[in-house]
Amino acid sequence: MQVIFGLGNPGDKYLATRHNAGFWYVDALAAAYDCQFKTEKKFKAQIATLTLMGQKLWLVKPQTFMNCSGQSVIPLMNFYRIPAEDILVAYDELDIPAGTAKLKRGGGHGGHNGLRDIIPGIGPDFKRLRIGIGHPGDKSKVTPWVLGRPSIDDQISIARCIDKCVAETANLIKGDWDRAMKNIHTV
């Protein structure tokens, strides 16, 4: 793995909203490894680099809105000729309880509009870190839910979950997918 894309919406208005769980993960990684994001207008993204397990790793936060994530992800991957299997996309997941995360290889978009915009350009064969935000219980409440702030209890649960994911990133980098999956999936 060479690149971790954290999906979210840019701007202060969305900073603390559930839809930014992917940003929260890459921000936590950058903080843990003391690296800073820099704006790369060419790729409509903020990018930080670090070396982990002897490998250069890019952390990328697309600065398009969630539904247009492909406008950042696809050009960067094409320019650097990065195959889909060398990336991890971290994003919010409605169908997983808040405070839980799941790793997954490949698949469809599952109704997530950020993935829906990425898949046509790079295919479905990338790795995913699905960060649970819970479901509001009714389909009509999904948009305000993902664009809303989590409760204090959910914020704490999600932060702990992200800390666990950050701790397992080294296992992901060295290719120990099964160990990372076991540790992340264990509550």
Side-chain angles (χ1 to χ4, degrees):
M1 189 170 48
Q2 299 173 333
V3 183
I4 298 176
F5 290 96
L7 301 188
N9 284 314
D12 292 339
K13 177 180 177 183
Y14 299 102
L15 191 62
T17 64
R18 291 177 185 90
H19 227 8
N20 276 27
F23 278 8
W24 299 342
Y25 169 65
V26 294
D27 284 339
L29 270 173
Y33 292 98
D34 197 31
C35 58
Q36 305 295 317
F37 284 93
K38 294 182 179 150
T39 300
E40 293 286 341
K41 289 183 181 181
K42 177 179 185 175
F43 299 116
K44 300 178 185 174
Q46 290 181 348
I47 301 173
T49 58
L50 62 107
T51 301
L52 184 60
M53 305 297 293
Q55 182 175 331
K56 184 176 180 180
L57 178 65
W58 293 351
L59 307 177
V60 181
K61 295 191 301 186
Q63 295 299 290
T64 59
F65 284 95
M66 179 69 78
N67 297 359
C68 301
S69 296
Q71 293 177 12
S72 175
V73 173
I74 296 163
L76 188 145
M77 290 185 60
N78 288 340
F79 185 83
Y80 290 106
R81 297 189 173 132
I82 301 166
E85 55 271 7
D86 286 350
I87 71 165
L88 175 74
V89 177
Y91 59 94
D92 61 297
E93 177 60 64
L94 281 166
D95 295 328
I96 298 174
T100 306
K102 300 287 182 186
L103 287 167
K104 180 179 178 183
R105 290 182 179 151
H109 58 71
H112 193 283
N113 288 330
L115 298 183
R116 189 187 311 259
D117 197 57
I118 293 169
I119 290 172
I122 68 169
D125 298 329
F126 54 91
K127 297 171 187 80
R128 298 124 193 264
L129 174 61
R130 303 161 59 213
I131 301 167
I133 61 168
H135 198 285
D138 185 86
K139 186 178 178 179
S140 67
K141 297 178 182 175
V142 166
T143 299
W145 181 260
V146 298
L147 296 178
R149 294 172 179 247
S151 68
I152 296 296
D153 288 343
D154 282 357
Q155 284 178 27
I156 292 167
S157 294
I158 293 168
R160 286 182 182 146
C161 174
I162 287 173
D163 287 346
K164 184 192 282 190
C165 294
V166 167
E168 288 303 315
T169 302
N171 281 326
L172 292 172
I173 298 304
K174 68 181 180 184
D176 199 344
W177 182 265
D178 292 335
R179 173 181 246 163
M181 186 179 286
K182 178 184 173 199
N183 293 336
I184 289 172
H185 292 194
T186 303
V187 179

